[in-house]
Amino acid sequence: MTGRPRSPRVARGVVLFLALCLPVSARAQAIHHALTVVVQPESGRLAVEDVITPDGERPPHGVHHFLLNAGLRLTTSTPDAAVWRDAARVPGLAPLIEAAGVPVTAYTVTLAATNRTITLKYEGELARPRDTPADEVSGPAVSKEGIALSGQDVWYPVFDQGLVTFSIEARAPASWEVISQGRRTTHRREAAQNLVGWESPEPQDEIYLVGGPLTEYTRDAGGLTAMAFLRTPDQTLADAYLDATGRYLDLYSRLIGPYPYKKFAMVENVRETGYGMPSFTLLGSTVIRLPFILNSSYPHEILHNWWGNGVFVDVDGGNWSEGLTAYLADHLMQEQRGAGAEYRRGALQKYADYVVEAKDFPLTQFRARHSAATEAVGYSKALMVFHMVRRELGDDAFLRALRGFFERFRFRRATFADLDRAFASSATVDRGLPAAAGRPGGSLLAPWIEKAGAPALKVGGVKAFRQGADRYLVTALVEQTQPGAAYRLRVPVAVTLEGREQAYQTTFRLDTKRLGLELPVEGRPLRLDIDPEFDLFRRLDRSELPPALSGLFGAERLLIVLPAGAPEPLREGYRRLAEAWKSSQPGQTDVVFDDKVKALPDDRAVWLFGWENRFRPVVAASLPDRSASITDTGARLSDTVLGRATHSAALTVRDPSHPDRALGWLAADRAAALPGLGRKLPHYGRYGYLGFEGDEPTNVVKGEWRVANSPMSMLVVQPEGGTITVPMATLAPRRALAP
Ligand SMILES: [Zn+2]
């Protein structure tokens, strides 16, 4: 759920903001809502009074139109509002109606010159989403379980696509807490009710109202308020979140600029969501109890208060906020543990496995993630592009650019182009870098975001020439093999020298399709490693990648081969699993029984199902690790023995005689384990092998195969001829972007 489409907001934005790109000097133009809300969970109803002050930019008097959830009945309006039946045909309103997640009613109201405000009273049971995503349960919007309302519910009158400021006074049952954006102004229990007020002078995309029977935990965090709201009281859990909140607010305030809100709240949700809203996050009950969330999704959601919920995304030019958030949260957390290179390799592997040519698109077209392919571009590619910008500018100039960008666009919408300008100007200021990447406009991002695709590298002819006592020249031919124009790259390189523990490291500029590289070195060069720490966004060579399940789940063409010889319940179970996966595969999937296949095809990925599968020996013979084995009675993976009768196994290998084909094998001896495997395995895409136990089934072993020989690592042909086989020398330690 890291970066699940931070759904309500982005989803609405996706459609809605396409039509219009408002240059916002937000505060002046924001419509203000003063809302008084009564939440009635027993009857599932909401009763609201809203005093609206149209924005100061336009003359407030005149005709206004607004939308309201069709389940709500307007009881009073001053001045009088009328239902507007033809609204869907009005150019300005049509996209709003289209974008609303629920059935809406359109109204028109005329404000006389003497009036500054519109007062509306309405109540009822909210109409629910027209199409609920399959992974979400659609219940009543207001229930005893709680509420989680966003702009997409159109629970307050929506006038246009501009930003809003607001205050809310909510009355809810005494056992409830109610949360919104901004600062809490009121919090007192009266009779059987809890009266809670929130105020957001900061312009917002939309208004959230979240609440339910929750226990509150609050703590001061350096002048800000850290809050946690739990469905079941749990001081230890709350403390863990309050600690983490304080830590991350401090980290990012120092790194980017002051936290733009007064509080941050972690709110436990009945549904298993992972949403980041301005100044709070809504996380599912299971999710918040997973120990790794505190170091992965949680900093990501907090950082969205700067990127996405502090500077808003003008998606017209592409959603830059996910890649930047992933880079400064998920990547940073790994970098701090010394695992930055592994993280980047994983990001590149996702791109290589999931983004086939037909699925690729420019980052300027990224809105939100809907699939593994859109995630691999919108998150993985984008974060690699930001990494390259950082390497180009240096940490100081990179951070200075981000700070300037944040300060300038706080509570406004910004595009990739705005971000690009911030980097370009920071590059110019900083030690007069050769016009930021050497082009007149100084654009660092444009070549990477305006078109689809990635560079691919090839290295050959690596030789050494003696030039003096201990002086050598290393030569190599480096090529960009992708179709089309050359990218402008700064390529890191490491040379392993005889008798030295530390590699000699440098970078070279590659902005042509072919380059004769010449590197003078002090000492005998034994080995050359190009981009050894995965600093470049590029399409990885297959042999740089260990075989992983993602190669099957991302395959454009897939053949699933079922075991004809399996006993009946299993045969049927495998057939159902194949059909289920077929519907979620990105490309074309065919399903056949093994007795109908003479030889496995070469031109597509292949999943073999079953212990009984007659092609199983091909897999057994291709296991990349000698300690792994598959026999008639079970499998052995990474020292874990999986008994055939009790365990299930799933793995992928590269058949040496057909290295381009991803080959997978999945086997269970009990049909009852198959539905669970079908659900779980797509979440284990990065792994090469997995073992499960029982019918649930429970994961007992998982791992990645070792990488074979990378074509980016070359032994140097010596002046005397021949090569000397050595591992790569140690690389210089890297400093994380933040300590
Ligand atoms: Zn995100």
Side-chain angles (χ1 to χ4, degrees), residues 2-4 6 300-301 304 322 325 379:
T2 318
R4 275 254 353 218
R6 294 175 309 93
H300 181 107
E301 298 306 348
H304 266 312
E322 289 303 344
T325 303
Y379 289 64

Side-chain angles (χ1 to χ4, degrees), residues 450-604:
E450 286 171 2
K451 59 175 182 175
L457 298 184
K458 192 179 155 194
V459 193
V462 183
K463 287 188 216 145
F465 296 90
R466 189 189 286 270
Q467 293 202 310
D470 201 27
R471 292 189 11 242
Y472 290 80
L473 187 71
V474 185
T475 65
L477 178 67
V478 187
E479 291 176 82
Q480 297 194 30
T481 58
Q482 76 283 357
Y487 286 82
R488 188 176 171 79
L489 302 169
R490 184 144 83 178
V491 184
V493 55
V495 184
T496 300
L497 301 168
E498 190 176 42
R500 310 271 176 82
E501 204 156 293
Q502 282 261 321
Y504 165 72
Q505 288 176 265
T506 184
T507 61
F508 63 91
R509 187 61 81 184
L510 178 65
D511 49 13
T512 51
K513 295 297 283 271
R514 288 160 67 89
L515 173 80
L517 178 67
E518 296 192 341
L519 277 179
V521 292
E522 307 269 329
R524 183 187 279 274
L526 303 179
R527 170 184 167 133
L528 183 79
D529 287 272
I530 297 285
D531 193 23
E533 294 174 276
F534 303 95
D535 290 312
L536 300 177
F537 173 67
R538 58 191 173 93
R539 189 169 278 278
L540 293 185
D541 188 276
R542 166 178 34 75
S543 41
E544 288 180 82
L545 297 169
L549 294 189
S550 52
L552 293 157
F553 290 123
E556 204 170 8
R557 289 189 74 192
L558 176 70
L559 178 70
I560 300 180
V561 182
L562 307 178
E568 187 39 55
L570 261 177
R571 263 170 60 112
E572 177 58 15
Y574 283 131
R575 206 190 52 74
R576 285 193 187 180
L577 176 58
E579 289 303 322
W581 278 357
K582 187 174 173 173
S583 61
S584 59
Q585 272 299 123
Q588 189 199 325
T589 302
D590 300 300
V591 182
V592 292
F593 278 97
D594 57 355
D595 57 354
K596 299 279 185 296
V597 181
K598 283 206 188 72
L600 296 178
D602 255 358
D603 57 349
R604 65 196 78 178

